[in-house]
């Protein structure tokens, strides 16, 4: 479920300093929970999910329309992998082509093993409770931050925050245009997908011989 952006004030995350000039687009409490040592399994799940290919038809149609518009108006394909995208447009308002330079030096090589090949993101860092990756296209520069939030009693819950910097008036208009579709179709489908996938992974982990 979507939660108030104010929830970010209750925790001190490394990402806060890295994206100090970005806007908080969304904060989502994920339908994923577990113990203190389960964050690695969360990262594995997010790396391997087959979304939107396995999503309901309306989501796949929206994804296809976005890629079609990208080809028509030179916005690029939303699903293009980071490796195939070539040189990224810089962070708006800066000359930076990656936020990696903002990451504390001791964390810069911590996400190199994350399995994000073929996806439109580039990893930034990984800790026991945080993971961040970045994405750049013709409409915005964004960061997806995953956190493993302590709920007390030894239980943790996943949290996903999306940070963005739109690219000028076109970027702002595009973000405003797609917002209702994201809230009504994309994110609900993603949450249901994550809930099912996490439940299946937990059952597999408990199976004999797993």
């Amino acid at each position: 479920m979507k939660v108030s952006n104010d929830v970010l004030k209750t925790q001190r995350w490394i990402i806060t300093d890295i994206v100090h000039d970005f806007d908080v687009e969304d904060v989502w409490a994920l339908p994923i929970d577990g113990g203190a040592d389960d964050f690695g399994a969360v990262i594995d799940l997010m790396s391997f999910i087959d979304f939107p290919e396995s999503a309901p038809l309306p989501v796949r149609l929206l994804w296809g329309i976005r890629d079609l518009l990208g080809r028509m108006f030179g916005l690029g394909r939303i699903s293009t992998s980071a490796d195939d995208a070539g040189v990224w447009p810089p962070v708006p308002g800066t000359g930076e082509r990656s936020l990696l330079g903002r990451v504390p030096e001791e964390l810069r090589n911590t996400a190199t093993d994350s399995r994000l090949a073929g996806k439109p993101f580039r990893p930034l860092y990984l800790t026991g409770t945080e993971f961040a990756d970045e994405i750049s296209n013709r409409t915005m520069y964004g960061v997806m931050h995953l956190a493993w939030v302590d709920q007390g009693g030894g239980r943790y819950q996943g949290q996903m925050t999306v940070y963005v910097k739109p690219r000028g008036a076109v970027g702002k208009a595009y973000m405003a245009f797609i917002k209702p579709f994201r809230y009504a179709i994309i994110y609900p489908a993603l949450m249901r997908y994550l809930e099912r996938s996490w439940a299946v992974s937990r059952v597999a982990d408990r199976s004999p011989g797993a």
Side-chain angles (χ1 to χ4, degrees):
M1 61 180 292
K2 188 180 185 306
V3 297
S4 169
N5 293 354
D6 289 340
V7 73
L8 297 176
K9 299 176 182 178
T10 65
Q11 299 281 342
R12 177 60 180 166
W13 303 112
I14 297 168
I15 194 65
T16 304
D17 293 331
I18 296 172
V19 294
H20 58 85
D21 53 344
F22 280 61
D23 296 327
V24 179
E25 183 71 11
D26 302 301
V27 185
W28 296 85
L30 301 179
I32 295 173
D33 64 358
D37 297 329
D38 286 332
F39 191 51
V42 176
I43 301 304
D44 286 344
L45 174 65
M46 298 298 288
S47 299
F48 285 119
I49 59 174
D50 188 24
F51 191 90
E53 285 77 8
S54 296
L57 180 60
V59 175
R60 287 182 278 124
L61 286 175
L62 283 175
W63 224 264
I65 291 171
R66 168 55 180 85
D67 279 345
L68 176 61
L69 291 174
R71 291 193 296 271
M72 292 174 60
F73 297 102
L75 301 177
R77 296 177 65 246
I78 193 172
S79 54
T80 299
S81 73
D83 291 336
D84 293 337
V87 178
W88 278 5
V91 179
T94 79
E96 301 168 280
R97 294 192 179 275
S98 172
L99 296 176
L100 190 59
R102 302 186 185 187
V103 175
E105 187 173 356
E106 66 274 15
L107 294 177
R108 290 181 189 172
N109 294 315
T110 52
T112 55
D113 292 334
S114 63
R115 290 173 285 276
L116 290 171
K119 298 184 182 296
F121 300 95
R122 288 176 179 165
L124 289 171
Y125 70 91
L126 173 66
T127 73
T129 56
E130 289 186 60
F131 172 75
D133 52 20
E134 59 184 347
I135 182 172
S136 177
N137 57 43
R138 298 294 179 182
T139 57
M140 63 91 198
Y141 204 106
V143 172
M144 182 186 71
H145 178 254
L146 298 176
W148 201 223
V149 183
D150 191 348
Q151 303 294 304
R155 302 303 296 173
Y156 287 72
Q157 183 176 11
Q159 177 178 287
M160 180 176 70
T161 305
V162 179
Y163 299 88
V164 299
K165 287 192 81 171
R167 297 193 186 279
V170 172
K172 291 179 181 178
Y174 172 76
M175 295 297 294
F177 173 74
I178 67 171
K179 195 168 190 174
F181 298 100
R182 290 192 296 111
Y183 286 174
I185 299 175
I186 301 293
Y187 277 118
L190 176 60
M191 295 302 145
R192 291 191 294 269
Y193 184 94
L194 290 175
E195 185 174 25
R196 292 194 303 269
S197 299
W198 183 250
V200 169
S201 71
R202 297 293 86 187
V203 170
D205 288 345
R206 291 192 294 267
S207 298

